[in-house]
Amino acid sequence: VQLVESGGGLVQAGESLRLSCAASGSIFRLDAMGWYRQGSGKTRELVARITSGGTTNYADFVKGRFTISRDNAKNSVYLQMNSLKPEDTAVYYCNCDTRDYHLTEYTYWGQGTQVTVSS
């Protein structure tokens, strides 16, 4: 399974960005998908996750500003980021959980996309 992210870039504080991630390859069942981020010198942290049924959860620091969504027909997940702050600067990684025919779970990561917010 491959995850390809797009949509990162350089914006000013208060502006918006939309990240996209598409999963491809041999997928029997695609479960939860999500976004994580890793700032310079920091550990990777959860930003938001969404189940195949559409249930979402968000990190406290993005509630009210970011919205995660997915298109199951396209095996894709999106992250709409509004009111961006300099502290949102990080590499954002797409993540997904899949199961094979035997229901064994696998987790995959994208290569990451840089988001930089200037003050």
Side-chain angles (χ1 to χ4, degrees):
V1 175
Q2 297 80 41
L3 296 174
V4 179
E5 301 130 332
S6 61
L10 171 64
V11 296
Q12 293 188 333
E15 294 184 340
S16 300
L17 278 175
R18 186 174 187 252
L19 305 182
S20 300
C21 173
S24 62
S26 180
I27 300 173
F28 179 75
R29 194 178 92 183
L30 184 60
D31 288 341
M33 303 185 78
W35 292 94
Y36 290 71
R37 70 185 189 186
Q38 187 167 13
S40 180
K42 299 181 180 179
T43 57
R44 191 171 298 188
E45 60 186 355
L46 171 69
V47 176
R49 287 211 15 117
I50 183 168
T51 69
S52 57
T55 300
T56 59
N57 69 288
Y58 294 92
D60 286 343
F61 53 77
V62 302
K63 284 182 179 177
R65 299 189 299 126
F66 292 8
T67 302
I68 190 170
S69 61
R70 65 188 284 170
D71 184 334
N72 290 331
K74 296 181 179 180
N75 288 341
S76 295
V77 64
Y78 310 96
L79 186 68
Q80 178 65 42
M81 304 186 294
N82 298 330
S83 302
L84 283 161
K85 304 175 182 180
E87 51 264 44
D88 293 318
T89 295
V91 177
Y92 284 71
Y93 295 91
C94 177
N95 159 280
C96 76
D97 295 328
T98 69
R99 292 189 186 269
D100 63 12
Y101 179 78
H102 302 285
L103 299 183
T104 301
E105 186 175 82
Y106 299 87
T107 298
Y108 297 92
W109 293 88
Q111 81 285 356
T113 185
Q114 178 70 46
V115 171
T116 303
V117 185
S118 63
S119 57

